[in-house]
Each structure stands twice: as structure tokens, then as C-alpha cells.
Amino acid sequence: MTHIAVLGSLNMDLVTYVARAPQRGETVTGREFRTVPGGKGSNQAIAAARAGATVSMIGAVGNDAFGQRLRDTLEHSGVDTDSLRTVEGPSGTAHIVVDDEGGNAIVVIPGANGTVDHLSPGDEGVIASADALLLQLEIPQAAVVAGAEAARRHGVRTILTPSPAQSLPPELLAATDLLVPNEYEAVVLTDRADPRDAAAALLDLVPEVVVTLGAAGCLYLSRGAEPLVVPAPQVTAVDSTGAGDTFAGALAVALGEEKPVREALSWAAAAAAISVQRAGTSAAMPYRPEIEAQYSA
């Protein structure tokens, strides 16, 4: 079975559902509020576990009620939390507004995630034992670099989701095997508006790039190979929050199982398509039989 290590964030998502998001200075009435365990690291860990991998989570939660619930949610999905530490203070939170078109706007408050600025004893061993390391940018960049470099030392594939979008240091890029930005992140990283141009520019920095295109699917580029455009299943989106993390987690599993690239991308797109048809983040993530059924449809 594929083993995935995840180094990243855990947040309690505080989600408000509205017909449309308010403009600056405007007040609107929402129809529903939920607290949903999330965070890009936790999301990717749960997505990978539900897709069929054994998963180890490296990160931190606070010693508050949110922290216990975040830990319980990971364990309920089968994620190993031995490397998830509890620190004094609040857990991370994400304040999310979801509109009727399935779009979202998010404000993240790091909380305990801000303490993850280095690898703790034992973390490198967890990374070394994995087939792939999933990384994002909701924890201090120093820890992300340390994790990627540890993975490189041990020959472990590194898959980086560059979110929230920010400049990436050369040492992180040098230790990244596969970069998975969405359209916005690709533009921020390259200052090129066209996804194909952006992906080509990113390919000068890392060996493989997947730019996710929402309902249009994804674009894959690898050095020395022809670009691939893989369509997404056509579904009606209810909530797109966490779709990118679902895609990344499922993709790591598919690649770990040595599926051909086009098949792996289609399989991950099927997982993401299921998630957008449901409300919430981790709660919306599909289990492997659901992904297989969507992929075969």
C-alpha cells in the first residue's frame, strides 16, 4: 500500500453560506454556518487516506477544543497522528464564505500552525519511510523547505501545492518534484496570465507541473514530454472548498500506485469532482470506491 507523509496545516474551518459574498463595507444575510475540520495539510492527508493510502500527518494543533476535534477527524479517516503535536494556545482557523455558485473566499489565522517552523525529532524518519511527501504553504516556509530537503535526501517524491500563493525560494524549488498550483497561483508565481504559458515557465523551475483549471480539468507538463490536458467530469458544484486538496491527495495516491500519468490525473479529477458536489471540506472528500465509480462512469 502506498505510504504518504503530509507536512502541513490543520485549521477549523468556520464556514458561512451566502447567496453572494459581501462587497467591502457591505453586510449580507447568510443562510447557514458550520464548523468543519480543515486546513490544507489535514485536507490532503484525509483525501489521501480515503483514496487508499496509509498516511502520516506532521503538524500541530492547539490545546483547545478545536485541536482535539481536528485530531479526532484525522484518526477517524485512518490518518496516523503520532507526529501531530499539541502546543499551548489556539488551533488554526479558516474563515470561509461560500456563495451559491460554489465559489469561496478565505481568511486563515495560523494559530498552532505558526509553531511548525522546523522538523521535530522523528519527523525526518516519517518522511523517509514514505513514498511521497505532500506539502503546502500554510505553515512557516522554513519547515516546508526542511521537509522537502529531507524528502530529497531519502529519494521521496515531493508534491507541493503552492497555496497560499507566494514567492518560492530556490532551495524549495530545487527539492520539489511536482508542483500543483491552481490557475491563480500559477499566475502569481510566473506573472503570466495564460495557464499554458504559466505552466511552461514553472517547468523551468521544477521537473513536473500540474495546473488545476477547475471545471476545465487540469494541464500537465513534464520536461521532454508533450503537454497533457485532462478534462474534469462535468458536475454541478455546490462548494469548491477543498477540491484542490482532494485532487492533490488523490493524485499522490495514484502516482504512488504507479498509474500512468493521464490515468492518475483523471482519477484525481474524479475525486475532486465528487468533493465539489458536497458541502464542506474534509466531510466532502470521497472514499476509494466512490472515486473508482466516478472514474469508470
Side-chain angles (χ1 to χ4, degrees), residues 15-193:
V15 189
T16 301
Y17 295 90
V18 297
R20 63 173 181 81
Q23 299 179 17
R24 184 175 183 177
E26 180 185 15
T27 299
V28 300
T29 299
R31 66 173 179 277
E32 187 177 0
F33 172 77
R34 296 181 183 179
T35 57
V36 183
K40 298 194 72 64
S42 177
N43 288 345
Q44 292 185 4
I46 290 171
R50 292 185 178 185
T54 60
V55 180
S56 300
M57 181 74 217
I58 304 170
V61 294
N63 60 343
D64 55 4
F66 285 167
Q68 187 59 54
R69 187 174 168 197
L70 288 165
R71 183 183 294 274
D72 291 345
T73 299
L74 285 169
E75 293 174 351
H76 180 74
S77 289
V79 177
D80 184 281
T81 61
D82 287 349
S83 298
L84 178 62
R85 49 193 182 270
T86 299
V87 300
E88 290 290 328
S91 299
T93 53
H95 303 253
I96 305 173
V97 176
V98 180
D99 64 34
D100 278 353
E101 294 182 356
N104 63 73
I106 306 173
V107 176
V108 174
I109 300 176
N113 297 306
T115 70
V116 186
D117 56 5
H118 62 281
L119 295 183
S120 293
D123 289 350
E124 183 161 345
V126 173
I127 293 169
S129 69
D131 298 298
L133 172 67
L134 284 170
L135 298 164
Q136 327 77 35
L137 301 175
E138 287 185 341
I139 58 174
Q141 205 172 80
V144 180
V145 172
E149 291 179 339
R152 179 55 51 92
R153 284 193 292 273
H154 297 283
V156 175
R157 182 200 297 265
T158 55
I159 302 174
L160 171 63
T161 301
S163 177
Q166 57 191 266
S167 61
L168 303 177
E171 58 269 30
L172 177 55
L173 291 166
T176 297
D177 295 305
L178 173 60
L179 191 66
V180 190
N182 62 23
E183 292 176 89
Y184 171 76
E185 292 152 1
V187 168
V188 170
L189 291 172
T190 64
D191 201 27
R192 302 190 184 189

